[in-house]
Amino acid sequence: MRAAFRTSFQLIALPLLSHSHTKPLLSSSSSLRFIFSSTSPLRSSVSDSFSSSASTPPSPFMEKQFEHFKAQLEESGGVRERIRSVVTEIEAVNRMLSSCLLLVHQSLPLSEVLNKANNHTEMIKGLFAKLAEILKEGPGEYYRYHGDWRSETQTVVSMIGFLHWLETGGLLLHSEAEKKLGLDSSEFCLDVEDYLTGLCFMSNEFPRYVVNRVTAGDYDCPRKVRSFLTELHTAFRMLNLRNDFLRKKFDGMKYDLRRVEEVYYDVNIRGLASGDSAQEKGNVSQEQAT
């Protein structure tokens, strides 16, 4: 294209310049306007050259490859749309489950709250089964679409982990979480990082829960929550976490633990906790001093 430009320019502009000493045909600005006008031979030749190159069909080998890419992208887009449709339903059920868990901070009976929450958990289990059926159509592509439901999975783990603690007072194990969600580790598993991130989210619920339980007269709750969060925080410290999203969420857990410890110290110093020994009170005072 550049060669054509130079040739056309020489054919048109040089004759004009060579006769400039005899008769001033055109000024420089007029010459440029003429060269690039719609009737200029230069513009016509350049546009014809560009049009012919743009309309050149690809080689059969290239066309075959990109036809294959087109089919792959269309298939992947269809699968992703189906996944997003199910994920939207999971989001809706998550909101309902979150609303049920808010009742824990009120004076409602715990059994009533757990029954409502468990019903929503069964609904989520069915939706994850739908996701598993979609992914069975493309074996080995779990992590290709994993990002489409990662955030929702982390939220679900945090809520069912909190429910499990309310029922048992212990940690929801990874295998137990997979069972509650109906996941099969061989086909559609619960990603370990999603599980750990969900546990970090779960710890955010405890400071508020402890304050409300103490307000309701349950002075032993801070001790239970403090013991659980201390063990969980210690277990997390065994992991060599990178400076990523999970590490930031884990760093937030220590602040949740600190808020729970403040409530625990206040309850024990005021002598409100039942069955506290003098040695335990002494330990609390010593911890505050340090």
Side-chain angles (χ1 to χ4, degrees):
M1 185 180 292
R2 291 183 179 178
F5 182 89
R6 285 198 300 269
T7 303
S8 301
F9 183 85
Q10 291 173 357
L11 293 174
I12 298 172
L14 290 181
L16 297 176
L17 296 176
S18 62
H19 292 84
S20 61
H21 64 281
T22 59
K23 185 177 181 180
L25 296 178
L26 294 171
S27 64
S28 60
S29 60
S30 299
S31 300
L32 291 176
R33 284 197 299 270
F34 172 74
I35 291 172
F36 294 104
S37 64
S38 59
T39 58
S40 171
L42 172 61
R43 179 166 181 172
S44 299
S45 62
V46 171
S47 60
D48 292 342
S49 175
F50 179 76
S51 300
S52 61
S53 62
S55 60
T56 302
S59 64
F61 176 78
M62 186 182 299
E63 183 177 3
K64 181 179 179 181
Q65 175 181 252
F66 278 83
E67 285 292 338
H68 179 64
F69 289 162
K70 178 183 177 182
Q72 281 186 329
L73 292 175
E74 290 178 351
E75 180 182 359
S76 176
V79 172
R80 200 175 295 276
E81 286 298 323
R82 293 166 60 192
I83 289 175
R84 288 174 179 171
S85 177
V86 178
V87 170
T88 301
E89 296 183 56
I90 295 177
E91 289 177 350
V93 181
N94 278 353
R95 289 192 292 269
M96 292 188 290
L97 180 56
S98 178
S99 299
C100 289
L101 288 179
L102 290 176
L103 301 176
V104 173
H105 303 291
Q106 301 178 9
S107 58
L108 293 178
L110 182 60
S111 58
E112 180 180 346
V113 176
L114 293 178
N115 287 335
K116 292 182 179 180
N118 288 330
N119 292 334
H120 293 306
T121 303
E122 289 298 321
M123 295 173 61
I124 293 175
K125 182 178 179 180
L127 292 174
F128 271 101
K130 287 185 178 180
L131 284 180
E133 288 296 326
I134 295 175
L135 288 181
K136 283 182 180 179
E137 300 175 6
E141 295 188 342
Y142 173 86
Y143 284 103
R144 180 178 183 180
Y145 304 103
H146 172 237
D148 292 335
W149 65 80
R150 170 181 290 174
S151 177
E152 289 71 22
T153 304
Q154 294 169 355
T155 303
V156 169
V157 171
S158 68
M159 291 188 290
I160 64 175
F162 186 51
L163 284 172
H164 184 80
W165 184 87
L166 292 173
E167 292 176 329
T168 65
L171 175 67
L172 176 69
L173 301 179
H174 181 268
S175 58
E176 294 174 335
E178 284 190 323
K179 185 177 180 180
K180 281 182 176 290
L181 297 177
L183 304 180
D184 184 358
S185 58
S186 62
E187 298 178 359
F188 190 97
C189 63
L190 174 60
D191 184 73
V192 174
E193 288 195 12
D194 291 345
Y195 168 74
L196 295 175
T197 304
L199 295 183
C200 293
F201 287 152
M202 176 191 67
S203 70
N204 302 152
E205 292 290 332
F206 285 106
R208 180 186 178 189
Y209 177 73
V210 165
V211 171
N212 290 328
R213 292 308 302 163
V214 170
T215 304
D218 185 3
Y219 301 119
D220 194 43
C221 180
R223 177 188 62 82
K224 296 177 181 178
V225 175
R226 174 181 177 267
S227 176
F228 173 73
L229 280 185
T230 300
E231 292 181 5
L232 183 59
H233 186 266
T234 303
F236 261 90
R237 291 176 65 88
M238 297 172 59
L239 305 176
N240 184 20
L241 299 178
R242 302 182 302 273
N243 189 20
D244 56 4
F245 181 75
L246 177 57
R247 177 56 188 259
K248 293 178 181 178
K249 295 295 105 179
F250 165 64
D251 290 340
M253 186 186 297
K254 64 182 178 182
Y255 298 106
D256 298 328
L257 177 58
R258 183 178 301 175
R259 292 169 62 188
V260 171
E261 286 177 338
E262 290 175 355
V263 179
Y264 172 73
Y265 294 152
D266 288 341
V267 168
N268 280 273
I269 289 175
R270 298 173 188 274
L272 298 176
S274 58
D276 285 340
S277 62
Q279 181 179 358
E280 184 178 2
K281 291 182 179 180
N283 292 337
V284 171
S285 301
Q286 185 178 0
E287 289 178 4
Q288 272 198 318
T290 56

